[in-house]
Amino acid sequence: MMRTSKDYLEDTLDMSNVLDTDSNNCQSEISQFFAGSNVLITGGSGFLGILLIEKLLRCCPDIGKLYMFMRAKKNKSSEQRFKEHFDNIIYDRLKKEQPNFNKKVIMIEAELSKLDLGLSEENRKCLLDVNVIFHVAATVRFNESIRSAVDINVRGTKQLLLFAKEMPNLKAFVYVSTAFSYCVNNFIEEKFYPPPIETEKILTLLDILDDEQLDKLTPTLLGKWPNSYAFTKAIAEDTVRQYSIGIPVCIIRPSIVTSTVGEPVAGWINNFYGAMGVVMGSALGLLRTLHCDPDKVAEIVPADYVISHFIAASWDTAKRRNTLLSIENANSEVPATERTPIYNYVSTCQNPITWKRFMKLNKIYGMQVPSAQVFWHYMLILNKYKFMHDICVIFLHMIPAIIVDTILFFSGRKPMLMKANRKINSFLSIISYFSSREWRFNNDSVVKLWNRMNRADRKIFNFDIDHLNWESYLKHIIPGVRVYLMKDPMETLEQGRQKYRRLKIYHYTLLTILTILLVWGIISLINYLMSFFL
């Protein structure tokens, strides 16, 4: 019997940690902490922001007000975007468990890159009663211009910290960074590092240079940093160090965030950044080569685990607020990491998985639920050496794309593969830095935080990567990509299987022809050389 999208969604809801709120939430210290607390979330419309809003509203039912920053975007006003925000399938479980949740959510029109965050005087006064801030907003485009990246990631962080100092009852400020902010180091500890450039210096450069001058200066500014995202995140961490004095703050560095394990549904994803781009591209048959050392660790972490860690870290920061601030007041020379905890939320330290195993499991489970949108049979080569990858790009990406687009052109249809290939190659140039290298991390702060939580909180806000079953988790990644990212419902599963079987025949037929031609060519060359020398 063919399974439907509804069946799949019910299964994923069932595998979540469904809690008896009456018996468990009353014992949860974290839920009690958020009872009556007012929360501000920046980046609420992004991948992590959506999950954070959902988790807080569902698992902390007595939360006070939840403010979320929103700005106009893509010809939609902030009010229109806010109205459409909760139509997302991710909120379905919340709507069933907390039907009146929307009475607690307040949209605040703001923009991080603008002076004073673009807040009206009325909204600034409204936000003074905030108790917890989750600063999740950032531009995550790796090839973003320096001006845009600095304005959002650095200037916006500075302005938000200065505003936070005006909040009399602030208990915790959580800054979300990345595990790769200081990827220029092979070993990354839970501590501050010297930034590539000081906050005020980079902001001054933006003020005095135009875009053309900044673009010319970008390679020099980036130095060893691979892209503007990691570069500005490194600076932003130092911005937090400088401007957080007097504020209970912590920094969280998650690594490559992938789809959810089980909350609120399994396999949910809404973007194809990082590892998810590799999964989606290979599942469609568009991505056939990757510059990647298969034996290196794939530094990935599930999104719902990351969110639970955010929430637990905010509770812990607030709980230790008086201690942290007293350390700061007692000694101005105290190391910054003693007053500002840093968490490396990574999988390497406790439960690593290699790229080889990651892709193997995705292949195994992906072939069970092929999409009706698949272009070609699955074939992904993990090339340890860059020159081999470049050769594969020519023969496996460029030449097939030229052939297919030529056929499409002469048949009166619109060529599309060369355009798709340009996007894929751009993606490959970004991801290869992370898939061909390996870092060592320290995550003692994460482990200690887990040990400070009680049993109820560990069940509700689970982020224990040590006991994550990778195979069970990865089994749901491809179906999640299919349903949530490709928007391909499970009703088309049989159609996808039939198409995949046809493509498999075409694939092996083509490989056979190419092998015969290659063997024929080699034999012909040998005969020619023998006749020449004999």
Side-chain angles (χ1 to χ4, degrees):
M1 182 178 177
M2 188 173 74
R3 295 174 60 75
T4 65
S5 292
K6 184 178 179 182
D7 294 329
Y8 175 71
L9 291 175
E10 287 178 352
D11 282 353
T12 56
L13 282 170
D14 287 341
M15 77 168 284
S16 303
N17 291 325
V18 180
L19 300 168
D20 179 353
T21 54
D22 291 336
S23 62
N24 286 311
N25 275 6
C26 63
Q27 301 171 14
S28 166
E29 290 185 37
I30 295 177
S31 296
Q32 289 175 8
F33 162 69
F34 278 99
S37 292
N38 299 319
V39 178
L40 167 64
I41 297 176
T42 70
S45 60
F47 176 51
L48 292 178
I50 291 170
L51 288 169
L52 178 58
I53 291 170
E54 193 278 339
K55 180 78 172 181
L56 280 171
L57 291 172
R58 178 167 53 83
C59 295
C60 303
D62 296 321
I63 195 172
K65 301 170 187 173
L66 193 152
Y67 300 102
M68 58 181 294
F69 277 1
M70 191 75 75
R71 63 186 175 89
K73 188 178 180 182
K74 294 181 179 178
N75 298 322
K76 290 185 179 181
S77 66
S78 53
E79 290 82 4
Q80 187 178 357
R81 290 184 66 210
F82 178 69
K83 186 177 180 181
E84 296 173 355
H85 180 85
F86 292 98
D87 293 338
N88 196 309
I89 195 171
I90 208 69
Y91 293 110
D92 286 358
R93 181 177 170 186
L94 172 65
K95 291 173 182 176
K96 291 179 182 178
E97 297 182 15
Q98 306 288 339
N100 297 319
F101 75 91
N102 55 353
K103 294 180 180 179
K104 299 180 179 182
V105 185
I106 300 171
M107 188 274 290
I108 299 291
E109 188 166 7
E111 190 164 349
L112 289 174
S113 60
K114 288 187 176 180
L115 184 65
D116 293 329
L117 305 171
L119 293 169
S120 66
E121 192 59 37
E122 181 182 353
N123 282 338
R124 289 185 72 88
K125 290 180 181 178
C126 183
L127 291 172
L128 290 177
D129 68 351
V130 164
N131 305 116
V132 181
I133 296 176
F134 290 96
H135 184 27
V136 188
T139 175
V140 296
R141 289 177 57 189
F142 284 2
N143 57 352
E144 186 69 86
S145 70
I146 284 292
R147 184 176 298 281
S148 295
V150 170
D151 273 340
I152 297 172
N153 295 351
V154 180
R155 195 190 301 274
T157 299
K158 175 187 172 182
Q159 292 187 117
L160 188 61
L161 285 164
L162 292 175
F163 182 36
K165 290 187 176 186
E166 300 176 27
M167 300 174 183
N169 300 310
L170 185 67
K171 299 175 183 177
F173 184 113
V174 178
Y175 174 68
V176 179
S177 184
T178 169
F180 302 103
S181 55
Y182 286 94
C183 56
V184 293
N185 299 310
N186 293 324
F187 179 42
I188 301 172
E189 299 179 76
E190 293 173 311
K191 68 177 187 179
F192 286 103
Y193 288 89
I197 185 173
E198 293 176 11
T199 299
E200 293 308 318
K201 287 183 179 179
I202 191 68
L203 294 178
T204 301
L205 276 177
L206 257 66
D207 292 337
I208 63 176
L209 299 180
D210 59 30
D211 289 344
E212 185 178 349
Q213 291 170 320
L214 272 177
D215 290 341
K216 289 180 180 179
L217 192 59
T218 293
T220 303
L221 285 173
L222 293 184
K224 295 180 180 179
W225 269 261
N227 51 61
S228 60
Y229 174 68
F231 173 76
T232 52
K233 278 296 191 178
I235 301 171
E237 283 193 16
D238 196 60
T239 304
V240 173
R241 181 190 63 79
Q242 292 181 69
Y243 293 96
S244 65
I245 295 174
I247 301 174
V249 64
C250 70
I251 294 175
I252 300 178
R253 296 172 176 161
S255 55
I256 301 172
V257 184
T258 48
S259 56
T260 57
V261 173
E263 286 208 73
V265 292
W268 185 76
I269 186 74
N270 72 347
N271 67 82
F272 45 84
Y273 297 128
M276 299 312 297
V278 176
V279 172
M280 181 174 175
S282 58
L284 288 172
L286 288 173
L287 181 62
R288 304 181 189 100
T289 175
L290 177 67
H291 179 211
C292 169
D293 187 336
D295 297 319
K296 299 289 188 189
V297 171
E299 186 44 77
I300 58 175
V301 287
D304 45 345
Y305 278 38
V306 171
I307 295 304
S308 289
H309 183 257
F310 286 178
I311 297 171
S314 70
W315 159 78
D316 192 58
T317 300
K319 191 175 180 180
R320 296 192 293 153
R321 173 192 179 193
N322 293 334
T323 302
L324 294 172
L325 294 182
S326 63
I327 289 173
E328 177 182 292
N329 294 331
N331 185 1
S332 60
E333 299 300 320
V334 71
T337 45
E338 286 191 24
R339 65 174 175 82
T340 306
I342 297 177
Y343 301 91
N344 286 339
Y345 192 72
V346 296
S347 57
T348 299
C349 302
Q350 295 169 271
N351 192 1
I353 182 172
T354 63
W355 284 103
K356 185 178 183 177
R357 186 174 177 226
F358 175 72
M359 292 313 303
K360 182 180 179 180
L361 290 172
N362 275 296
K363 178 183 178 180
I364 292 171
Y365 293 117
M367 285 185 174
Q368 296 176 9
V369 287
S371 170
Q373 300 173 13
V374 67
F375 281 86
W376 195 248
H377 184 269
Y378 179 95
M379 183 183 72
L380 179 63
I381 302 173
L382 302 181
N383 285 295
K384 181 177 180 179
Y385 301 105
K386 181 67 162 57
F387 77 93
M388 285 300 299
H389 166 70
D390 292 338
I391 291 172
C392 286
V393 166
I394 295 171
F395 286 98
L396 300 179
H397 285 179
M398 294 179 63
I399 292 177
I402 291 170
I403 293 172
V404 171
D405 276 2
T406 301
I407 294 172
L408 289 174
F409 177 78
F410 284 109
S411 62
R413 287 178 289 176
K414 186 179 179 181
M416 59 179 182
L417 277 190
M418 282 300 293
K419 183 179 180 181
N421 264 358
R422 282 193 290 271
K423 291 183 179 180
I424 290 171
N425 291 336
S426 175
F427 166 78
L428 289 176
S429 66
I430 293 170
I431 193 68
S432 65
Y433 180 88
F434 303 96
S435 59
S436 61
R437 289 171 172 80
E438 190 172 271
W439 289 265
R440 292 186 301 117
F441 292 91
N442 171 286
N443 75 333
D444 288 350
S445 294
V446 175
V447 174
K448 289 176 183 177
L449 172 58
W450 177 255
N451 291 334
R452 284 194 291 270
M453 293 166 61
N454 65 27
R455 186 176 298 179
D457 283 328
R458 288 183 183 183
K459 185 177 181 182
I460 302 170
F461 304 99
N462 178 28
F463 60 83
D464 182 18
I465 203 82
D466 195 21
H467 292 94
L468 174 67
N469 185 317
W470 284 111
E471 185 162 354
S472 176
Y473 167 48
L474 296 178
K475 185 177 181 179
H476 292 271
I477 278 190
I478 292 286
V481 167
R482 190 187 201 278
V483 173
Y484 304 118
L485 204 52
M486 298 180 188
K487 308 300 181 185
D488 188 3
M490 295 304 286
E491 285 84 351
T492 67
L493 181 55
E494 189 55 38
Q495 181 183 341
R497 286 172 174 167
Q498 291 176 4
K499 185 176 181 181
Y500 195 74
R501 283 194 290 268
R502 290 197 304 270
L503 290 173
K504 185 176 182 179
I505 294 171
Y506 299 155
H507 175 78
Y508 285 109
T509 301
L510 181 59
L511 281 181
T512 301
I513 293 171
L514 289 173
T515 302
I516 292 171
L517 289 173
L518 180 61
V519 171
W520 176 79
I522 292 172
I523 292 172
S524 299
L525 179 61
I526 292 172
N527 287 333
Y528 172 77
L529 292 173
M530 288 180 68
S531 64
F532 180 78
F533 287 107
L534 296 177

